[in-house]
Amino acid sequence: MKIANEKVLVLDFGGQYCQLIARRVRDCKVYCEIKPSHTPVEQIRAEGYKGIIFTGGPNSVYEESSPKCPAEVLELGIPVLGICYGAQLMAYLLGGKVSASQVKEYGKTETSFQPGTLFSGLPPRSVTWMSHTDYISTVPEGFSVTAQSEACPVAAMEHDEKKWYAVQFHPEVEHTEYGQQILEHFLYRACGCKGDWEMSSFAQEAVRQIRETVGDKKVFCALSGGVDSSVAAVLVHKAVGKNLTCVFVDHGLLRKNEGDEVERIFREQFDMNLIRVNAQDRFLAKLAGVSEPEQKRKAIGEEFIRVFEEEAKKLGKIDYLCQGTIYPDVVESGTGDAAVIKSHHNVGGLPKDIGFRGLIEPLRDLFKDEVRRVGLELGIPAPLVWRQPFPGPGLAIRVLGEVTREKLDVLREADAIFREEIAAAGLDRTVSQYFAVLTGIRSVGVMGDGRTYENTVALRAVTTSDFMTADWARIPYDVLEKTSNRIVNEVAGVNHVLYDITSKPPATIEYE
Ligand code: XMP
């Protein structure tokens, strides 16, 4: 859908900062899209981009297998900014020379700048973030060198007439002192962008387009109570009202009070057609006797699809299916030879054969924090908008080993206490994810004058920005102390509480 007046292309050469570049561009109020490096030139031309950014990447331009784009991309008359590998690729494609250095320049680097489109108005020296071994040793014809560091003779180069710009460092990371300004200079000065991309215009435009697509047809949405599916459902509801039916499958693996809360918000506050399917018994039956993590995940995923199909059948013909797919899902599913560590699933993994006319995915172009901004704007309550991530298989992967109703009840209570204490300490926005785990270990304790032989609960809390890597959160001891005291005193069946101090990697955030 057309959601912006002007847009920029981020051409992905495999760099780990690709999505970060896109985020930073959007912070400059310029809408942008990520496409793979092999995107055909004709497609790029047809999209009418105002600028193109070549990302970094782990390769060397002289390796045969390294990702490249055709040189014609540079000749489209669209301003181009190359970053790191992207800078070297620009030099290579235009006849300059890239060489391997003996020293790897990595981390914070004092860099000096000369005036030019990217750097005019900035101090002559500042810190940039470098991460490279290769460097541009000879600039292509027509370029001038506009920045240097001690180890890097061409930390930046420009060909202002052709509107080609290249930086060896990473302007997108926060350690580069004037990184954001440098990106702004490229977008505003070189590309002529106005920077008028706003989330409010997004919501209005999305509602208008959903209405146009759906007309008076029916839409069906699987609501999980997570941020993405909630925001998607509310947008569609604004567009088509009662022609939207949401199905909320309560698999009994939710946190304390969560199911009722979702029902209250969507049925009462938003007055939506909501079907809550109480499928707790079915899921528990499928989980009986299953203790292997992947089998648990599979059993839940399959049962979820079955319940959903049954509900869909009851409703008769479905015209459109609404899903809360967001941009990182789209980009990540486009790549991916990565090893399967865990088979993640959520309501995104719905059957494609239930016979609907089309998919409505209003958040396909947004990053998570943008989805949250839209959510707040639509009046979704803040606790839901800021809800921490919760895995599709729910508490089943936090009860280690076989899942039973009794174990789930113990875990739900312990988890609720931990969440209450984190919120009371004002840590709920700084800690990225926090929860309790029933470890399956039974331990001896003493309560009153008697011996107990009960459950060991682990507390897990992490900080992370992308959930790919994570560090354990340094929660103050007094918060841990209070949580531990409350859990052993208030939750029957728990006599030891542990705090997990492993990062990811080597651990993962969830235990199964
Ligand atoms: P791991 O445990 O792989 O988790 O370090 C990374 C993030 O993903 C969440 N997670 C899931 N989310 N469906 C989801 O929607 C799943 O099956 C699933 N498994 C893990 C996890 O909570 C963490 O935020």
Side-chain angles (χ1 to χ4, degrees), residues 106-357:
Y106 185 84
K108 290 181 183 174
T109 309
E110 271 291 324
T111 308
S112 52
F113 298 97
Q114 280 81 57
T117 300
L118 294 191
F119 308 127
S120 284
L122 302 183
R125 284 181 77 77
S126 63
V127 169
T128 66
W129 180 271
M130 297 272 192
S131 176
H132 67 115
T133 314
D134 288 0
Y135 68 103
I136 299 169
S137 46
T138 311
V139 299
E141 211 184 306
F143 276 82
S144 50
V145 175
T146 48
Q148 296 95 0
S149 70
E150 200 176 322
C152 187
V154 184
M157 61 178 192
E158 296 190 6
H159 189 314
D160 215 26
E161 198 188 309
K162 290 282 204 178
K163 298 203 178 301
W164 290 326
Y165 308 88
V167 291
Q168 182 58 62
F169 56 88
H170 289 271
E172 70 277 17
V173 305
E174 34 183 86
H175 308 286
T176 295
E177 269 180 302
Y178 293 93
Q180 191 69 21
Q181 286 90 331
I182 293 168
L183 283 177
E184 278 174 12
H185 291 168
F186 172 68
L187 295 167
Y188 303 156
R189 291 177 182 172
C191 306
C193 291
K194 291 195 197 68
D196 56 3
W197 153 253
E198 293 279 359
M199 293 319 292
S200 53
S201 52
F202 169 84
Q204 279 169 18
E205 184 58 20
V207 168
R208 196 190 62 73
Q209 291 192 25
I210 295 166
R211 206 171 278 150
E212 198 177 288
T213 310
V214 174
D216 58 358
K217 299 280 181 292
K218 301 262 185 262
V219 188
F220 193 49
C221 174
L223 200 62
S224 70
V227 187
D228 304 340
S229 67
S230 300
V231 175
V234 172
L235 271 177
V236 173
H237 182 249
K238 266 202 175 324
V240 306
K242 291 283 181 187
N243 278 341
L244 168 72
T245 303
C246 292
V247 171
F248 168 48
V249 177
D250 185 349
H251 49 24
L253 306 167
L254 298 168
R255 291 170 290 199
K256 193 175 175 184
N257 299 333
E258 208 162 35
D260 295 343
E261 197 50 14
V262 170
E263 186 169 353
R264 192 188 58 72
I265 292 170
F266 292 97
R267 207 192 293 283
E268 289 173 22
Q269 181 178 337
F270 287 104
D271 191 25
M272 282 191 195
N273 283 333
L274 174 74
I275 301 170
R276 176 173 176 179
V277 189
N278 289 317
Q280 293 93 327
D281 295 342
R282 291 180 61 158
F283 279 87
L284 275 176
K286 288 284 168 196
L287 287 168
V290 184
S291 53
E292 202 279 318
E294 280 299 293
Q295 277 180 20
K296 279 196 212 174
R297 285 173 171 271
K298 231 172 133 230
I300 296 167
E302 285 170 6
E303 195 58 13
F304 187 89
I305 288 176
R306 212 149 294 143
V307 174
F308 190 79
E309 275 170 347
E310 286 173 21
E311 291 306 314
K313 250 190 223 124
K314 282 187 209 159
L315 284 177
K317 191 169 156 294
I318 293 174
D319 298 303
Y320 291 96
L321 185 67
C322 160
Q323 290 193 340
T325 318
I326 68 171
Y327 201 45
D329 305 332
V330 177
V331 179
E332 271 155 29
S333 59
T335 54
D337 311 313
V340 175
I341 309 293
K342 299 176 185 183
S343 42
H344 281 206
H345 84 88
N346 48 27
V347 290
L350 290 175
K352 300 282 179 258
D353 55 0
I354 53 174
F356 45 87
R357 180 198 297 238

